[in-house]
Amino acid sequence: MRLVVVAGSTQTAAIDGISAAGADADALRHTPSADLEILEYGEPVRSPVVPVSPTGCPTPAVATRAVREHVGFDVTAVDAGLARPTGAPTVDLGDEPGADIRDVDPVPNAERLFERARSFAAGLPDDELAVAETIPGGTTTALGVLTALGERPAVSSSLPENPLDRKRRVVEAALVASDLEPGGAAGDPVEALRRVGDPVLAVVAGFVVGATETDTRVRLAGGTQLAAAAALARHAGVDTALSLETTSFVADDDSAAVHGLADDLDLTLRATDPGFEQRDHPATNAYVAGEAKEGVGMGGALAMAARDGVSMATVRETVVDLVEDLLATRAAGEPQP
Amino acid sequence: MRLVVVAGSTQTAAIDGISAAGADADALRHTPSADLEILEYGEPVRSPVVPVSPTGCPTPAVATRAVREHVGFDVTAVDAGLARPTGAPTVDLGDEPGADIRDVDPVPNAERLFERARSFAAGLPDDELAVAETIPGGTTTALGVLTALGERPAVSSSLPENPLDRKRRVVEAALVASDLEPGGAAGDPVEALRRVGDPVLAVVAGFVVGATETDTRVRLAGGTQLAAAAALARHAGVDTALSLETTSFVADDDSAAVHGLADDLDLTLRATDPGFEQRDHPATNAYVAGEAKEGVGMGGALAMAARDGVSMATVRETVVDLVEDLLATRAAGEPQP
C-alpha cells in the first residue's frame, strides 16, 4: 500500500483561535514540513520545530510513523505549497502557500494544482492508494469548500473545543469577499477551491479524480478535510466507491458530523480506535482529552495496522517511544534551524 | 538500510561519444528523472522516456528496483540539479544542471551544494547509509575530478569500449579552460568540483563528509564515480573507513582500474556478480556484453540482496520481469509526456 501525503500551508491558519497545530505562528508554518520528516525518518531532520504541543500532544504524524515502523507501507509526500523547506523527499506539484480565504482569490493556481495532481495520480501504477493531508487551518478551508458546494457545513477541529462559530464567521467573510452564496460553487469544484479553499485540498481532490479515472481504489485517510476532498471529487463527477478511514476521535466528535458527511457523500466510513485511554502518557492522554484527533493519515494508518494484524497495544507503545525520542531531541537542541 | 540516490545532469554528457545512458540527447536529459521513478514506482510515471537502449539494455535502476522489491530498503532521492521534472519524491538540494566542463565555471554553486549535502547528511538519524548516483556523462566529470585532485585518472564507462582517450581530451580541455594543472586542486575538493566536476559529485561528496562527521557508516554504492566522491571526501579530510560496493562488471573492467582506486583511497571494495550470463535475455545479455555496467546504486543493491539472503537467480528473474513490463509500457505509448 502506498500512502500519498499532501502537505502545504494556508494563511487562514494564522487567524486567531483557528488551529492547534504548532505552539505559535512560526511553528504552524513549519509543522507540515516537520510532519513529512517524521514520516520519512522518524524525527525532524531539517525543520527546527518538533511538533509536540506544550501540553505534550504530538502531531498525528507520530501515530502514522508508528504504524509504518510495523507495517512498512510506502509513503509518497507531495508538496502542494509548503511555507518552509523540508528535508523529506517530495513530489513538487505546488507553487506557494494559500492566502487567507477572506482574500478575494486565495488559491489563484487552484486549477493548475488540480490538473497536475489529476495527471500525477493517473500515471501511478498502484491498484490501490491511500491519500492524506497535513495543513494547519485545513478544517476551516474545508468548511469553506463544503459551504460553497452546498454540502453539510460541519468539520472537526484539532482543539478540544471546536471553534465552529469562529470558523463559520471566517467562511461567511470569505464567501462575501468572493461574492459567492452558500452552494454557489455546486458542480464547480475548482471555483470552490480557488475562492474559499487551500492548495492541499486542490491537490487531494485532483488526485482522487485522477486515481479513480484509472480505476485505482482510493482510501481517504483522514477526517472532515478528506470528506471535503471527497465532496470536491463528487462535484467533479466521481461516482465510484470511496472509503473514508479516520480515527475514533473524529468519529466521536459530534460537532464534526463525519457520519452525516459520509452518508451525504456516499463514503464507506471506517473509524479506528487506538485505545489511547489504556495508556497513561501525556501524548496519549492529550488525544483522549480531544486534542489533535487526526491528520497526516493517522486514521488510515491505524486501519492498515488493524488489517495487518498489528495490535493497537503495539502501536501505542511505539507512539510513546517516538514521542520520548522527539522530546529528547528537542531537549538536546537538535535539529539546528 | 536507506539508499540515498543523488540525481542530476551535466552538459558534459552531450559531448559526442561520451555516454550510453539514453538513446539520444533528449533521452539523456530525461534519464535520471526516469531512474528515480523506476526506483520509486517500478516504472516511469511522468518521464516520457523509458530508459532501455535500442539493443534492449535497461538502466541499472531496474536492477536496484528488483532488489528493492525483495529487500524493501528505503530510498531517499536527492535532486542535485535535474534537467527534467520527475514524478518521484526528491529532497531538493540543487539549483540547476552542471555546464560542460570545458567551460570556465561549470558548477558555480559547487560550494553551496557541498555544504547543503553535508548539513543534510549530518541531520539524518540513520546509523548506516548507502549513497549512489545517476548522472549521464558522470564518468567524464569523475575523471576530471580525479585528475584535478592528482589521483589515479581511471574511470569506467557505460559503453562496452571505454572511450577513455576521448574523455581524457575533454578533461585536458577542461583543465586548460580553468587554468588548472593535474593535481592542482589537491586538498581543495570544492575547487575540483567547481572547475571540472558536476553537481551530483558535489552533493555525494558533501553527503559523505556530513555523514562521517556524525559517525554514520557510509557505503558508496557504485563504481568509479563513487570512487571519485570518496577521493573528494579524502581530500576534505575524511579518514574513517569507507566501503565501495560495485558490480562485477566494473570490477572486471581493466580500463576502470577500480581495484587500484580502492587501494589508493583506502576503500574496502566489494564487487557483486548478479550472474547475468546464466540468464539469456536481451537485458542480461547487454550487461554481459559490457553495456551500462553500474549506476543508480546497482552494486550496493546487489550487495544488500546477498546480505539478506536473496538469491541472484531471484534478482535476475525480477530484472527480466521489470524490463518486460517497461517495454510493454513503452509499446502501449505510456506514460504521456
Side-chain angles (χ1 to χ4, degrees):
Chain A
M1 171 72 89
R2 182 183 308 281
L3 175 67
V4 176
V5 180
V6 183
S9 291
T10 167
Q11 274 297 322
T12 311
I15 300 170
D16 195 42
I18 287 286
S19 177
D24 55 37
D26 190 54
L28 273 184
R29 282 187 282 272
H30 280 289
T31 295
S33 304
D35 279 347
L36 298 183
E37 295 175 0
I38 289 168
L39 273 189
E40 178 71 14
Y41 308 109
E43 61 183 57
V45 300
R46 186 174 179 187
S47 170
V49 161
V50 176
V52 179
S53 79
T55 61
C57 181
T59 167
V62 167
T64 305
R65 170 72 193 190
V67 173
R68 192 179 185 206
E69 294 198 354
H70 299 287
V71 175
F73 55 84
D74 291 326
V75 168
T76 301
V78 174
D79 179 352
L82 286 166
R84 292 291 180 270
T86 181
T90 55
V91 178
D92 299 334
L93 300 182
D95 306 302
E96 57 188 1
D100 187 322
I101 56 171
R102 295 169 303 180
D103 292 354
V104 178
D105 200 8
V107 192
N109 59 344
E111 181 161 14
R112 192 162 66 236
L113 292 171
F114 184 92
E115 290 301 333
R116 278 184 192 158
R118 179 182 188 160
S119 167
F120 173 64
L124 293 180
D126 306 73
D127 297 327
E128 187 174 33
L129 289 163
V131 60
E133 58 67 36
T134 169
I135 176 168
T139 58
T140 303
T141 45
L143 183 66
V145 159
L146 289 168
T147 307
L149 295 174
E151 298 290 345
R152 184 187 302 251
V155 291
S156 184
S157 171
S158 55
L159 294 161
E161 293 295 321
N162 192 347
L164 252 183
D165 282 345
R166 190 180 297 253
K167 292 178 184 175
R168 288 193 175 122
R169 285 196 300 275
V170 170
V171 168
E172 276 166 28
L175 290 169
V176 167
S178 294
D179 199 17
L180 262 183
E181 295 291 317
D188 191 350
V190 169
E191 177 70 4
L193 287 162
R194 176 169 181 168
R195 299 300 174 186
V196 292
D198 67 56
V200 167
L201 275 177
V203 166
V204 174
F207 189 89
V208 172
V209 171
T212 52
E213 276 172 355
T214 47
D215 295 328
T216 302
R217 183 173 169 188
V218 177
R219 298 178 186 273
L220 302 158
T224 45
Q225 287 164 260
L226 272 293
L232 289 160
R234 294 297 188 215
H235 281 256
V238 171
D239 57 7
T240 53
L242 293 170
S243 61
L244 182 68
E245 299 190 335
T246 192
T247 64
S248 52
F249 306 111
V250 169
D252 295 345
D253 174 5
D254 291 336
S255 73
V258 71
H259 299 276
L261 276 171
D263 279 348
D264 297 349
L265 298 165
D266 196 20
L267 310 176
T268 307
L269 181 66
R270 173 170 188 163
T272 307
D273 183 353
F276 279 178
E277 75 288 350
Q278 297 173 52
R279 181 65 168 86
D280 182 25
H281 184 274
T284 47
N285 294 348
Y287 277 73
V288 173
E291 289 187 66
K293 293 190 187 72
E294 167 66 280
V296 206
M298 179 177 175
L302 293 175
M304 277 194 248
R307 279 196 295 274
D308 251 50
V310 175
S311 77
M312 290 303 139
T314 300
V315 172
R316 290 193 294 272
E317 290 313 309
T318 308
V319 165
V320 168
D321 289 347
L322 284 168
V323 171
E324 293 292 337
D325 287 348
L326 285 179
L327 293 175
T329 301
R330 179 157 66 188
E334 299 171 315
Q336 301 304 328
Chain B
M1 172 73 88
R2 182 183 307 282
L3 175 67
V4 176
V5 180
V6 183
S9 291
T10 167
Q11 274 297 321
T12 312
I15 301 171
D16 195 41
I18 287 287
S19 177
D24 56 37
D26 190 54
L28 273 184
R29 283 187 282 272
H30 280 289
T31 296
S33 303
D35 279 347
L36 297 182
E37 295 175 359
I38 288 169
L39 272 189
E40 178 71 13
Y41 308 109
E43 62 183 59
V45 301
R46 187 174 177 187
S47 169
V49 161
V50 176
V52 179
S53 78
T55 61
C57 182
T59 166
V62 167
T64 305
R65 170 72 193 189
V67 173
R68 193 179 185 206
E69 294 198 355
H70 299 288
V71 175
F73 55 86
D74 290 326
V75 168
T76 301
V78 174
D79 180 351
L82 287 166
R84 293 289 181 271
T86 181
T90 55
V91 178
D92 299 334
L93 300 182
D95 306 302
E96 57 189 359
D100 187 322
I101 56 171
R102 295 170 303 180
D103 292 355
V104 178
D105 201 8
V107 191
N109 58 344
E111 181 161 14
R112 191 161 67 236
L113 291 171
F114 184 92
E115 289 302 333
R116 279 184 192 157
R118 178 181 188 161
S119 166
F120 173 63
L124 293 181
D126 306 72
D127 297 327
E128 186 174 33
L129 290 163
V131 60
E133 57 68 35
T134 169
I135 176 168
T139 58
T140 302
T141 46
L143 183 66
V145 160
L146 289 168
T147 307
L149 294 175
E151 298 291 345
R152 185 187 299 250
V155 291
S156 183
S157 170
S158 56
L159 294 161
E161 293 296 322
N162 191 349
L164 252 183
D165 283 346
R166 190 180 297 252
K167 291 178 184 174
R168 289 194 175 122
R169 285 197 301 274
V170 170
V171 168
E172 277 167 28
L175 290 169
V176 168
S178 293
D179 199 18
L180 260 183
E181 295 291 316
D188 191 350
V190 169
E191 178 70 4
L193 287 162
R194 177 169 180 168
R195 300 300 174 186
V196 291
D198 67 55
V200 167
L201 274 177
V203 167
V204 174
F207 189 89
V208 172
V209 172
T212 53
E213 275 171 356
T214 49
D215 295 327
T216 302
R217 183 173 169 188
V218 176
R219 297 179 187 272
L220 303 158
T224 46
Q225 286 164 261
L226 272 293
L232 290 159
R234 293 298 187 214
H235 282 256
V238 171
D239 57 7
T240 54
L242 293 169
S243 60
L244 181 68
E245 300 191 333
T246 193
T247 63
S248 52
F249 306 112
V250 169
D252 295 345
D253 174 6
D254 292 334
S255 73
V258 73
H259 298 275
L261 276 170
D263 280 348
D264 298 348
L265 299 165
D266 196 19
L267 310 176
T268 307
L269 181 66
R270 173 170 186 162
T272 307
D273 183 353
F276 278 178
E277 76 286 351
Q278 298 172 52
R279 181 64 167 86
D280 182 26
H281 184 275
T284 47
N285 295 348
Y287 278 72
V288 174
E291 289 188 66
K293 293 191 187 73
E294 168 65 280
V296 206
M298 179 176 175
L302 293 175
M304 277 194 248
R307 279 196 295 273
D308 252 48
V310 175
S311 77
M312 290 302 139
T314 300
V315 173
R316 290 193 293 271
E317 290 313 309
T318 308
V319 165
V320 167
D321 289 348
L322 285 168
V323 170
E324 294 291 338
D325 287 350
L326 286 179
L327 293 175
T329 301
R330 179 157 66 187
E334 299 170 316
Q336 301 302 326

